[in-house]
Amino acid sequence: NIVMTQSPKSMSISVGDRVTMNCKASQNVGNNIAWYQQKPGQSPKLLIYYASNRYTGVPDRFTGGGYGTDFTLTINSVQAEDAAFYYCQRIYNSPPTFGGGTKLELK
Amino acid sequence: EVQLVESGGGLVQPGRSLKLSCAASGFTFSDYNMAWVRQAPKKGLEWVATISYDGSSTYYRDSVKGRFTISRDNAKSTLYLQMDSLRSEDTATYYCARPTVVDYYVMDAWGQGASVTVSS
């Protein structure tokens, strides 16, 4: 099975900063990646699918990129409400493996 | 508004069974594939199973094959997960999730989760 590895495991940044988090697939997955946001005590929410397509209603400060094995999620001008865990997911084929997550904390 | 409401969670002994339900509303349930995703305490997300819109096809992660059964009742707009031979490693919050129309595994709607604890 394809393994998804996210880095860093956690990061602490200030409101207004730009942040980039990474997701690496153990094999080429093309653009078959989704990103989710999960705030404490809440269920996950879809942000990005097919690596760079922003889901309906997601603010345009969230941008996904990458292809093949290396992917990024960038948040421009981070807001306080962006504090959460972020998960990447390999999609299109089974099993749809999730990465271990990146915790984003605000200073 | 799309709503997915899970029920049926609880504390169960190893080796016993439990059945989760997910009541869907706000969309045409019979048009969508559906899925279960779980999250162990303080851990990441793990896909469990997916069922096609008409129930004709089902897919499972290896660790639950032969023990869990996903099913649906389109007349009742309800998704189910029958969990047999439960193990301690099945302890998790189980989310009912709706895949998008463009991909079997991209989930665009999630329930609030049902907690399952497997312990003696």
Side-chain angles (χ1 to χ4, degrees), chain B residues 21-119:
Chain B
S21 299
C22 170
S25 61
F27 65 103
T28 304
F29 183 72
S30 57
D31 284 350
Y32 285 84
N33 304 321
M34 293 297 294
W36 290 96
V37 178
R38 67 185 180 185
Q39 186 170 34
K42 305 295 185 185
K43 298 294 185 181
L45 300 166
E46 186 173 79
W47 168 79
V48 175
T50 294
I51 187 168
S52 62
Y53 67 98
D54 60 357
S56 63
S57 298
T58 56
Y59 308 87
Y60 300 92
R61 68 177 301 103
D62 286 347
S63 61
V64 307
K65 279 181 186 174
R67 300 189 299 121
F68 289 13
T69 303
I70 186 172
S71 62
R72 63 192 297 158
D73 185 335
N74 284 346
K76 295 182 178 180
S77 295
T78 302
L79 177 73
Y80 303 101
L81 185 67
Q82 175 68 44
M83 302 183 291
D84 299 324
S85 303
L86 281 161
R87 306 168 180 168
S88 58
E89 55 264 37
D90 296 319
T91 293
T93 296
Y94 285 73
Y95 294 102
C96 168
R98 185 187 76 171
T100 66
V101 294
V102 298
D103 191 283
Y104 235 63
Y105 300 113
V106 179
M107 317 295 179
D108 69 351
W110 298 67
Q112 85 289 349
S115 179
V116 173
T117 301
V118 184
S119 175

Side-chain angles (χ1 to χ4, degrees), chain A residues 67-79:
Chain A
Y67 188 89
T69 60
D70 294 286
F71 301 88
T72 58
L73 176 67
T74 298
I75 311 174
N76 288 302
S77 189
V78 169
Q79 303 299 301

